[in-house]
Amino acid sequence: MTAFDELMAFQRETEALAQIAGRLGWDQETMMPRGAADQRGEEMSAIEGVLHARRTDPRVAEWLATAEPQDDEDRAQLRQIRRAHQRATKIPAELAQKLARVTSTAQGIWAEARAADRVEDFLPTLAEVIALKREEAAALAAGGNLYDALMDDYEPGATAETIGAMFDRMRPRLVRLRAAVLEAAPPPKLDHHFGENAQLRFARDLAATFGYDFTRGRLDLAVHPFSSGSGNDVRITTRVVEKDPFNCFYSTIHEVGHACYELGIDQDYLLTPLGNGVSMGVHESQSRIYENQLGRSPAFTGWMFRQMLDRFGDFGVAGPEDFARIVNRVQPGFIRTEADEVHYNLHVMMRFDLERALIRGDLQVRDLEAAWNDRFLADFGVAVDRPSNGMLQDVHWSCGLFGYFPTYTLGNVYAGCLHHTLREAITDLDDHLSRGDLAPATGWLREHVQRHGGLYLPRDTITRACGFTPSEGPLLDYLDAKFGALYGL
Amino acid sequence: MTAFDELMAFQRETEALAQIAGRLGWDQETMMPRGAADQRGEEMSAIEGVLHARRTDPRVAEWLATAEPQDDEDRAQLRQIRRAHQRATKIPAELAQKLARVTSTAQGIWAEARAADRVEDFLPTLAEVIALKREEAAALAAGGNLYDALMDDYEPGATAETIGAMFDRMRPRLVRLRAAVLEAAPPPKLDHHFGENAQLRFARDLAATFGYDFTRGRLDLAVHPFSSGSGNDVRITTRVVEKDPFNCFYSTIHEVGHACYELGIDQDYLLTPLGNGVSMGVHESQSRIYENQLGRSPAFTGWMFRQMLDRFGDFGVAGPEDFARIVNRVQPGFIRTEADEVHYNLHVMMRFDLERALIRGDLQVRDLEAAWNDRFLADFGVAVDRPSNGMLQDVHWSCGLFGYFPTYTLGNVYAGCLHHTLREAITDLDDHLSRGDLAPATGWLREHVQRHGGLYLPRDTITRACGFTPSEGPLLDYLDAKFGALYGL
């Protein structure tokens, strides 16, 4: 065996073990009996220990030094392995263990603080997490920008400077669109009870409609919807709110986008470093284009309206125009995960600015709540009424996920670019969507984005698919056009 | 840290990883999408590789050489670790891998051969499995008895000579009882449709009645019922046959017995070598006493009859006496897993004799079918009509599980002994059972058997609980008395 082959064989086992760790996470959120939580903590710690030992194994450095790639795919495999190995070896083992322990505890403390709406209960832990993440960032950055070093884990190659400049360009147009929409007449209210089983049946059918392969996945209930796994075992979850069926339906379509990305990767890359979605931003581009540009397009919601009439009977909506407006309702709200397309990125931008200041050390945790509430009032025109609607709403910081939030908006920007190109490539897209036929769109995305997995760098993946350098323009143009039409602006 | 502490910390991670491997197995039988099968094979292989490396880690031998136990529990921990380490290091890595690969393939070939009723399709693979198991046994036995070396994996300390002698003593009395019962008037037939959901609801309630802790477990459907996991995450499965609700109910109670054993082990032993059931025989003693001596006792079936009337309405059984006879129906049948208490051990004994001959080399696979069918005719008085009702019915041999079958009957023998002592300890047991109150019985079993986990050797575990050396007498006396009464012999 050549050094390259030995390395790849080793890596294949590592990828398989990483899949196991991921599936334990799925089990924990869907199936695990609650009394098993402590034991599960030890199980997760044991498998993470195995993974860490493999990622920092000195043989990997030796193999990397002598492996001879034969083609671009080999080179991309080595790039991914080198990247993971370097990140893992730069972080001292003691710090990694401490981070794992502290963030594990912090999640529980955060959940209780949120439930009790007590910011002060969370702040000491949050300060500890931030101190450790700064330490981690310093180890990774080697003198460079701390926040960039953290963000690089989720979006290789992205920098806070570029992202920040783009966000600054986006924000005024979003604030302007938001103000205009909120002055227009709102869509009618939905007031109907949608049974849980019927919602779940339609969610399953929607997943299949969007191309989710149930022979390589499954759909279960969870408190927070997510997608989990790579290769040929990619599972999704959804949730049901009986008064708001769109929560279930669009959560499902969103997770189907994530899952189809993983399931659509070239089978040659199975259990290799190229066999995973390349970044959080590209991942989110898939979930968002499935959910929004396709799933919330008036062409598709026309089909969906008829489906829902068949399944739920008359639910009090007069016609497909009203239905499209309801599905695309724009309204101010405190919660990011419930935000519409117009508000969503404003939620992300404030988190991006706040967490950069936290990591830089310019903002202290004791001042975080005030900073959050001031910014929210400025951008959303509403005062935060309680911490669970404010800075305690997201789990991310308790998990140590600093640098993750901007990838959500980056995903939206990428989705805007892909949607622009998709519309040029498939000129009769709306005809297909209005018949509930997603195959041309999802086929195009699989061919131009999904199948490549980790072959190209994130930004290159989008550039190759679109034929132009991604920017915020197409997303903003799309939002202006769509909501202009829906709200008669 | 002392060598003992280092060893135990290492072992704790190994136990946690073993739990993960077990949970993957559970997932495979209950949740896994079928398209994930190949990938799952690689995942299982990767985690088994990690476990094997840990079990044969040279540091374990060093720690074992210098560890200083402080008490009997420490000594028992070391005994269990030494045992696993010695077994693992005696088997050459290449042989272990080959066995894993061949048995994995063999299960698929067996399943297809059974479905097609074609013995000849399975024989070449079976011969290969047997050759490898003989090789494994030779490595383990170091000149000793091959079959004992294999059986020792499931029932430490048991020998084929002792078991064989006991089986020889049991067989005439079982054959005699069987003949007498079959001459008596049979119980009435059950002819009613029992809905799947109602069956599953009652199965859940039965599990709770027998003390299964749903906060540390769950009940799902699977093709073959099983129990899986140790510590605080022990899951069970059942199945539903709409015309035969007792399949579901008694499968459930049986698996609850296995699960309560694991869940009942002292929490101090969590994720240590003592934190698992000590042997297959002791495990089966718990599942069997729950299922048969308790669950099929006329006192308990009286309560169950009233429950079923409440839940299913009149299902055509006149009264509790007929119900008890139906639940305890004795009838000849080809299939071990469907056998009643009188026939079950006869099924086991013939497999024990046949597999010993296969491992000794006295029986060739080409002669196995004839040997099976001759023996079946002699013991059951019926000619096997097709291989799926004969030598192709069990999965065990395709998995390489030689030496496993006798533990089923050993479990029945142990259950007989425990039941004898339990009746002496709780003189009003039937009063409790007739009210559906299992707590005194299951509490006694937890206190005297389950909580000890791996602390004592299997046979010692039963001896300490019973206060006498276990033998077949109490089981045979119990069967004679119970079926004598039910069938008016």
Side-chain angles (χ1 to χ4, degrees):
Chain A
M1 287 227 287
T2 66
F4 182 83
D5 291 340
E6 283 190 78
L7 175 57
M8 287 303 289
F10 181 84
Q11 195 62 39
R12 200 171 174 89
E13 284 182 355
T14 307
E15 296 288 334
L17 293 166
Q19 287 304 307
I20 292 174
R23 200 145 315 103
L24 276 189
W26 170 85
D27 182 87
Q28 191 163 335
E29 301 300 324
T30 56
M31 300 291 158
M32 187 184 82
R34 62 187 160 79
D38 288 347
Q39 177 173 331
R40 177 57 58 89
E42 290 206 51
E43 293 169 8
M44 284 301 285
S45 163
I47 187 97
E48 290 297 343
V50 169
L51 284 167
H52 183 77
R54 294 183 72 96
R55 287 185 183 127
T56 56
D57 193 307
R59 287 175 298 173
V60 173
E62 290 164 27
W63 283 321
L64 280 169
T66 52
E68 293 179 2
Q70 301 298 313
D71 55 25
D72 285 349
E73 290 188 2
D74 290 358
R75 271 181 284 277
Q77 299 281 18
L78 293 179
R79 183 194 71 222
Q80 298 288 80
I81 298 170
R82 183 172 289 114
R83 189 184 132 72
H85 180 68
Q86 286 178 347
R87 279 193 76 88
T89 48
K90 276 180 186 167
I91 302 168
E94 206 180 322
L95 175 61
Q97 279 166 18
K98 204 165 172 189
L99 254 169
R101 202 169 51 243
V102 169
T103 54
S104 166
T105 316
Q107 287 171 58
I109 294 172
W110 163 78
E112 285 180 24
R114 185 174 75 157
D117 258 318
R118 291 172 57 93
V119 168
E120 62 274 27
D121 290 358
F122 180 50
L123 292 186
T125 313
L126 178 60
E128 203 180 348
V129 172
I130 291 170
L132 291 170
K133 290 301 285 187
R134 281 167 54 93
E135 215 178 305
E136 185 192 27
L140 291 166
N145 183 287
L146 295 188
Y147 187 82
D148 284 357
L150 296 177
M151 192 164 58
D152 191 68
D153 202 17
Y154 316 113
E155 199 65 28
T159 67
E161 195 181 340
T162 322
I163 299 256
M166 183 175 77
F167 285 4
D168 287 345
R169 293 192 300 274
M170 292 173 72
R171 197 168 156 207
R173 274 186 71 180
L174 288 173
V175 169
R176 201 157 59 230
L177 174 60
R178 177 188 168 278
V181 168
L182 292 182
E183 278 175 19
K189 294 274 181 208
L190 192 66
D191 185 19
H192 188 79
H193 175 95
F194 298 85
E196 169 161 350
N197 288 338
Q199 283 197 39
L200 284 174
R201 271 196 301 275
F202 191 36
R204 284 187 68 86
D205 290 347
L206 281 170
T209 296
F210 276 82
Y212 182 58
D213 178 359
F214 277 97
T215 70
R216 299 189 291 148
R218 47 181 292 135
L219 173 64
D220 294 282
L221 287 171
V223 177
H224 301 287
F226 64 92
S227 163
S228 163
S230 293
N232 292 322
D233 194 347
V234 186
R235 307 180 183 187
I236 58 174
T237 65
T238 190
R239 63 179 160 201
V240 171
V241 180
E242 300 220 329
K243 286 293 223 177
D244 177 14
F246 302 118
N247 194 315
C248 173
F249 301 156
Y250 284 100
S251 291
T252 303
I253 298 173
H254 181 97
E255 301 309 333
V256 164
H258 282 302
C260 284
Y261 183 10
E262 295 292 339
L263 291 167
I265 295 173
D266 195 324
Q267 287 283 318
D268 288 348
Y269 301 162
L270 188 73
L271 296 180
T272 76
L274 300 189
N276 303 289
V278 72
S279 75
M280 294 301 139
V282 177
H283 241 298
E284 196 73 5
S285 79
Q286 300 306 292
S287 58
R288 286 283 164 172
I289 197 170
Y290 278 56
E291 177 189 354
N292 290 331
Q293 280 87 354
L294 299 172
R296 284 194 168 93
S297 67
F300 181 73
T301 60
W303 174 84
M304 196 165 157
F305 177 61
R306 294 192 305 276
Q307 285 285 317
M308 284 183 63
L309 286 179
D310 285 350
R311 289 159 185 264
F312 300 98
D314 178 6
F315 53 95
V317 173
E321 294 76 18
D322 273 355
F323 185 82
R325 281 159 51 80
I326 289 170
V327 166
N328 286 288
R329 181 191 308 280
V330 176
Q331 58 185 358
F334 295 115
I335 305 295
R336 174 185 58 83
T337 57
E338 297 169 2
D340 54 73
E341 285 182 85
V342 176
H343 283 97
Y344 190 89
N345 296 308
L346 292 170
H347 285 276
V348 170
M349 289 171 192
M350 63 177 278
R351 286 159 179 76
F352 172 70
D353 288 340
L354 292 170
E355 71 178 15
R356 261 195 309 168
L358 287 167
I359 292 297
R360 267 201 312 265
D362 292 351
L363 176 64
Q364 303 307 311
V365 294
R366 65 174 174 275
D367 302 321
L368 176 58
E369 186 179 17
W372 179 292
N373 292 352
D374 288 352
R375 172 70 177 263
F376 193 84
L377 186 60
D379 276 11
F380 293 80
V382 189
V384 172
D385 59 348
R386 55 175 189 271
S388 56
N389 278 336
M391 63 154 279
L392 286 183
Q393 71 182 263
D394 297 305
V395 71
H396 298 59
W397 289 337
S398 74
C399 304
L401 294 173
F402 289 85
Y404 192 111
F405 280 124
T407 69
Y408 290 128
T409 287
L410 194 58
N412 283 327
V413 166
Y414 287 164
C417 298
L418 291 168
H419 179 235
H420 177 87
T421 308
L422 179 65
R423 288 267 172 199
E424 289 185 339
I426 305 170
T427 49
D428 58 348
L429 180 61
D430 277 338
D431 291 346
H432 291 282
L433 295 180
S434 65
R435 294 193 302 270
D437 174 16
L438 271 294
T442 57
W444 188 92
L445 289 165
R446 187 166 55 250
E447 174 66 22
H448 291 86
V449 178
Q450 296 166 2
R451 73 183 172 92
H452 297 310
L455 183 60
Y456 308 114
L457 290 172
R459 201 175 168 76
D460 293 344
T461 303
I462 302 299
T463 305
R464 294 177 74 102
C466 295
F468 57 84
T469 306
S471 75
E472 72 283 4
L475 174 68
L476 297 174
D477 293 345
Y478 149 81
L479 291 174
D480 281 344
K482 174 175 171 178
F483 290 94
L486 283 168
Y487 279 80
L489 306 180
Chain B
M1 287 227 288
T2 67
F4 182 83
D5 291 342
E6 283 191 80
L7 174 57
M8 287 304 289
F10 182 83
Q11 195 61 38
R12 200 172 174 88
E13 284 183 356
T14 307
E15 296 288 334
L17 293 166
Q19 286 303 308
I20 293 174
R23 200 146 314 103
L24 276 188
W26 170 84
D27 183 88
Q28 192 162 332
E29 302 300 324
T30 55
M31 300 291 159
M32 186 183 83
R34 62 188 159 79
D38 288 346
Q39 178 173 331
R40 177 58 56 90
E42 289 206 51
E43 292 169 9
M44 283 302 286
S45 163
I47 186 98
E48 289 297 343
V50 170
L51 283 167
H52 183 76
R54 293 183 73 95
R55 288 187 183 126
T56 57
D57 193 308
R59 286 175 299 172
V60 173
E62 290 165 25
W63 283 320
L64 281 169
T66 51
E68 293 180 2
Q70 302 297 314
D71 55 24
D72 285 350
E73 290 189 3
D74 290 359
R75 271 181 284 276
Q77 299 280 18
L78 293 179
R79 183 194 71 221
Q80 299 286 78
I81 297 170
R82 183 171 290 116
R83 188 184 134 72
H85 181 68
Q86 286 178 347
R87 280 193 76 88
T89 48
K90 277 181 185 166
I91 302 169
E94 207 180 320
L95 175 61
Q97 279 167 17
K98 205 166 172 189
L99 255 169
R101 202 169 52 245
V102 169
T103 53
S104 166
T105 317
Q107 287 171 58
I109 294 172
W110 162 78
E112 284 181 25
R114 185 174 75 155
D117 259 316
R118 290 171 57 92
V119 168
E120 63 274 26
D121 290 358
F122 180 50
L123 292 185
T125 314
L126 179 60
E128 203 179 349
V129 172
I130 291 170
L132 291 170
K133 290 302 285 188
R134 283 167 53 93
E135 215 178 306
E136 185 192 30
L140 291 167
N145 183 288
L146 296 188
Y147 187 81
D148 285 356
L150 296 178
M151 193 165 56
D152 190 68
D153 202 15
Y154 315 113
E155 199 65 28
T159 67
E161 196 183 337
T162 321
I163 299 254
M166 184 175 76
F167 285 4
D168 287 344
R169 292 193 300 275
M170 294 173 71
R171 198 170 154 205
R173 274 184 73 179
L174 289 172
V175 169
R176 201 158 55 229
L177 175 60
R178 176 189 169 278
V181 168
L182 292 182
E183 277 174 21
K189 296 273 179 209
L190 192 67
D191 185 19
H192 189 80
H193 176 95
F194 298 84
E196 170 161 349
N197 288 338
Q199 284 198 38
L200 284 174
R201 270 196 301 275
F202 191 37
R204 284 186 69 85
D205 291 346
L206 282 169
T209 296
F210 276 83
Y212 183 58
D213 179 358
F214 277 98
T215 70
R216 298 188 291 146
R218 49 180 293 133
L219 173 64
D220 294 281
L221 287 171
V223 176
H224 301 288
F226 63 93
S227 163
S228 163
S230 294
N232 292 321
D233 194 346
V234 186
R235 307 179 183 188
I236 57 174
T237 65
T238 189
R239 63 179 161 201
V240 171
V241 181
E242 300 221 330
K243 286 293 221 177
D244 177 13
F246 301 117
N247 194 316
C248 173
F249 301 155
Y250 284 100
S251 290
T252 303
I253 298 173
H254 180 97
E255 300 309 333
V256 164
H258 282 301
C260 284
Y261 184 12
E262 295 291 339
L263 291 167
I265 296 173
D266 194 326
Q267 287 282 317
D268 288 347
Y269 302 160
L270 188 73
L271 296 180
T272 77
L274 300 189
N276 303 289
V278 72
S279 75
M280 294 302 138
V282 178
H283 240 299
E284 197 73 6
S285 79
Q286 300 305 292
S287 59
R288 285 283 163 172
I289 198 171
Y290 277 56
E291 177 189 353
N292 291 330
Q293 280 86 353
L294 299 172
R296 284 195 168 93
S297 66
F300 182 73
T301 59
W303 175 84
M304 196 163 157
F305 177 61
R306 294 192 303 278
Q307 286 284 317
M308 284 183 64
L309 286 179
D310 286 351
R311 289 159 185 264
F312 299 99
D314 179 5
F315 52 96
V317 173
E321 294 76 18
D322 273 356
F323 186 82
R325 282 161 50 80
I326 289 170
V327 165
N328 286 289
R329 181 192 307 281
V330 176
Q331 58 184 357
F334 296 115
I335 304 296
R336 174 185 58 82
T337 57
E338 297 170 1
D340 53 74
E341 285 182 86
V342 176
H343 283 98
Y344 191 88
N345 297 307
L346 293 171
H347 285 277
V348 170
M349 288 170 191
M350 62 177 277
R351 286 160 178 76
F352 172 70
D353 288 338
L354 293 170
E355 71 179 15
R356 261 195 310 167
L358 287 168
I359 294 296
R360 267 200 314 266
D362 292 351
L363 177 63
Q364 304 306 313
V365 295
R366 65 173 176 276
D367 303 320
L368 177 59
E369 186 180 18
W372 179 293
N373 293 353
D374 290 349
R375 171 71 177 260
F376 193 84
L377 186 61
D379 277 10
F380 293 80
V382 190
V384 172
D385 60 347
R386 54 175 190 270
S388 56
N389 278 336
M391 63 154 279
L392 287 183
Q393 71 183 263
D394 297 305
V395 73
H396 298 58
W397 290 338
S398 73
C399 304
L401 294 173
F402 289 86
Y404 192 109
F405 280 123
T407 69
Y408 290 128
T409 287
L410 195 59
N412 284 326
V413 166
Y414 287 164
C417 298
L418 292 168
H419 179 237
H420 176 87
T421 308
L422 179 65
R423 288 266 171 198
E424 289 186 340
I426 305 168
T427 49
D428 59 347
L429 180 62
D430 277 338
D431 292 347
H432 291 282
L433 296 179
S434 65
R435 293 193 301 272
D437 174 16
L438 272 293
T442 56
W444 189 92
L445 289 165
R446 187 166 55 249
E447 175 65 21
H448 291 87
V449 179
Q450 295 167 3
R451 72 182 171 93
H452 297 309
L455 183 61
Y456 307 116
L457 290 173
R459 201 174 168 78
D460 294 344
T461 303
I462 303 298
T463 305
R464 295 178 74 103
C466 294
F468 58 83
T469 306
S471 76
E472 72 284 3
L475 174 69
L476 296 175
D477 293 345
Y478 149 81
L479 290 174
D480 281 344
K482 174 174 171 179
F483 289 93
L486 284 168
Y487 279 81
L489 304 180

